[in-house]
Amino acid sequence: MQFHYNYNGFLNVYKEAGWTSMDVCAKLKRITGVRKIGHAGTLDPMAEGVLPVAIGIATKNIDLIGGKVKEYRAGMLLGTVTDTEDITGNVTGRYTGELPGEEAVREAVMSFVGAYEQLTPMYSARKVNGRKLYEYARAGVEVERKTKPVSIYEIRIEEISVPHVVFTVKCSRGTYIRSLCRDIGEKLGCGACMSSLLRTQVGDFRAEDAVRISDIEAAADSGGLDSLLRVTAPTAVAIGKFDGAHIGHQALFRELRRAAERDRLKTLVLILRFGKSGIMSREDRKQKLAELGIDYCIELDFTDELKNMSAEDFLSRILIGRFNMKTIVAGKDVSFGRNKAGNAEFLHEHASEYGYKVDLIDKVIAPGGMIMSESEQAGDTGEDPKKNSADNASDRNCFEVSGEDHDTVDISSTMLRGAISKGDMELAARLLGEPYSISGYVVHGKGIASSKMKYPTMNIEVSDDLNLPPFGVYAVRACIYPADYRRSLKPGKEIRPREIVGIANLGERPTVNGSTEGGTRLRLEIHSFDDIGDCYESFVKTELCRFIRPEKRFSSVEELTRQISGEDIPAVQKYFGRT
């Protein structure tokens, strides 16, 4: 399994006063679990406003955002000079004469529109001889600095009430507003320092759209952080439900990668979630798409706002405005927007206006025999199907057959959900291109399986938000990873798990819990046929290969033990060829 980032994209953060820019990044690392995070342009602790923050692979585009035009609303105090050039510093001078009038102030402020050479302040993060200037300043060392060209594109004076001045300024990258205030004060001959600063815009990131850290944390806790992400890199986009990422979806994703390579774009899959239930968890789906070579995976809940949004608004505001779409890859039956008006014809009609390409592909169809049961496919030999039909399913191109074949079926999520709900794990594996799996971290159980039944198990908590197969006993394979593998690996580095086969029970464990009612937490309990030692807190991906029998309540633990040892384990061992 390859390491990947669960989240990739930009957050438009509203930095509050008292936070440093690095404080924001450190907090977001804890919220998202992503290690690779950076900001596009430092804001001083006293400043507020727009701080674009890149997460995951989006950090490669930080310089593109940081170099955009910035807009600030600044307060300036005339007649006071400080060592930091703002009111948080130590006062180094006060003007005792009569302060200049409004007209003189206005003329001095507006004289800075255009290009000028600005001296970097001592309290800044720029480096001289390998050290940041503020490190010299805090040590009381004055360092010779060079001026740097900056551009002031526009200044609007909002208020003049001497000694206080408020103005809005649009400027280039690298402009220090503190230093601009200093320079205005020097030109007026009375000195000045910055009294307040609000960054209102960085490129297309605006203060009115920015979100505070508390809102980001709440969104992450509810599973809705994706709704806040933006992508600035040009993208090739596929849009849909993509529940389960079956072989039909995988064919679409292959075309998406080809289009992205052709047009030198990043791949982005936009998933619309309808309701809570799904075949895969959000984390597993992101992992799956990362393994399929998708750069950005964004999930949006299908809210009333999205439901009622017109097709053109969805195109301009979401696909282009938020995700910088340059190519869309979709099935010929594509639809989005109110009344499903965003169809293939709509996409072609608006392509030149919005500057994107349209690649439409046919539905993936498969031989009718593909939906036959395992016994119908190869006979009920008890052999591990990974040696036969599942191997064929892994060759995903084998299902892209001609529409002239009269004995064919369309591949769909409905078919996949049906196979899973019936416990037909062999068909599910053929539709997915790999066995259906459940993943999670090993938690502590009651210890009954090891102490009373002599069958120690790994216990995985299972979300009831998923469309699960029938509760019962399964033949399983499992891959066991270290607990911190997602945090400890670097992108592109591979970790090899321990692989085991065994028997598992999915469900509510009615024999040891006493009832299948009352909100008992679902568990997947896995017993390995080989010694695996202590696996607590390990991350385990478990493939449910064959449904053995339904879950039932036995009269005693002893009766359950006899069922497991006398019938269940022999059936699973026969399946894996270990008899």
Side-chain angles (χ1 to χ4, degrees), residues 22-94:
M22 291 310 297
D23 288 340
V24 171
C25 290
K27 181 66 173 179
L28 290 176
K29 287 179 181 180
R30 292 192 291 272
I31 292 173
T32 64
V34 179
R35 298 178 66 180
K36 198 170 185 181
I37 288 181
H39 61 79
T42 301
L43 275 179
D44 293 334
M46 70 168 288
E48 296 187 48
V50 173
L51 182 69
V53 177
I55 300 177
I57 62 173
T59 53
K60 296 178 180 179
N61 297 317
I62 282 181
D63 286 343
L64 297 178
I65 301 302
K68 298 288 187 180
V69 174
K70 297 177 174 65
E71 181 181 88
Y72 299 87
R73 183 182 176 92
M76 180 171 62
L77 177 62
L78 299 176
T80 299
V81 178
T82 70
D83 57 357
T84 61
E85 301 177 0
D86 60 40
I87 59 171
T88 67
N90 299 313
V91 175
T92 59
R94 291 192 189 277

Side-chain angles (χ1 to χ4, degrees), residues 288-473:
K288 177 67 175 178
L289 292 179
E291 292 170 356
L292 292 172
I294 302 303
D295 296 309
Y296 294 92
C297 172
I298 306 289
E299 294 194 6
L300 297 182
D301 290 326
F302 194 64
T303 60
D304 288 340
E305 180 184 2
L306 282 183
K307 179 180 178 181
N308 295 318
M309 187 179 292
S310 69
E312 187 159 359
D313 278 351
F314 189 88
L315 172 65
S316 62
R317 291 168 50 189
I318 305 296
L319 297 180
I320 294 174
R322 281 186 57 188
F323 303 125
N324 200 12
M325 184 185 78
K326 300 300 181 184
T327 296
I328 185 167
V329 179
K332 293 181 178 178
D333 59 349
V334 62
S335 64
F336 58 85
R338 189 170 56 244
N339 300 323
K340 299 182 178 181
N343 54 25
E345 182 180 359
F346 171 90
L347 286 171
H348 282 298
E349 285 177 353
H350 290 80
S352 59
E353 176 185 356
Y354 287 101
Y356 62 84
K357 296 179 181 178
V358 181
D359 287 2
L360 298 180
I361 68 170
D362 293 319
K363 270 191 172 183
V364 173
I365 57 177
M370 176 188 173
I371 64 171
M372 296 168 61
S373 68
E374 171 82 359
S375 59
E376 292 171 323
Q377 284 266 324
D380 191 2
T381 64
E383 292 182 353
D384 181 354
K386 196 167 188 178
K387 300 175 182 176
N388 42 65
S389 61
D391 273 348
N392 293 330
S394 67
D395 182 5
R396 293 155 192 162
N397 286 319
C398 72
F399 299 118
E400 297 179 39
V401 298
S402 168
E404 296 176 1
D405 186 342
H406 298 293
D407 188 18
T408 61
V409 292
D410 290 339
I411 303 300
S412 69
S413 294
T414 300
M415 182 189 298
L416 176 58
R417 284 194 295 270
I420 292 172
S421 66
K422 292 185 296 184
D424 190 344
M425 309 319 295
E426 291 82 9
L427 174 55
R430 293 194 291 276
L431 293 172
L432 288 168
E434 64 180 10
Y436 169 87
S437 65
I438 295 174
S439 63
Y441 291 92
V442 179
V443 299
H444 287 272
K446 295 183 176 180
I448 295 175
S450 57
S451 63
K452 293 185 178 181
M453 302 170 63
K454 307 305 178 186
Y455 293 120
T457 60
M458 296 183 293
N459 292 271
I460 309 294
E461 287 188 352
V462 179
S463 171
D464 58 5
D465 282 348
L466 299 177
N467 287 311
L468 294 168
F471 292 170
V473 176

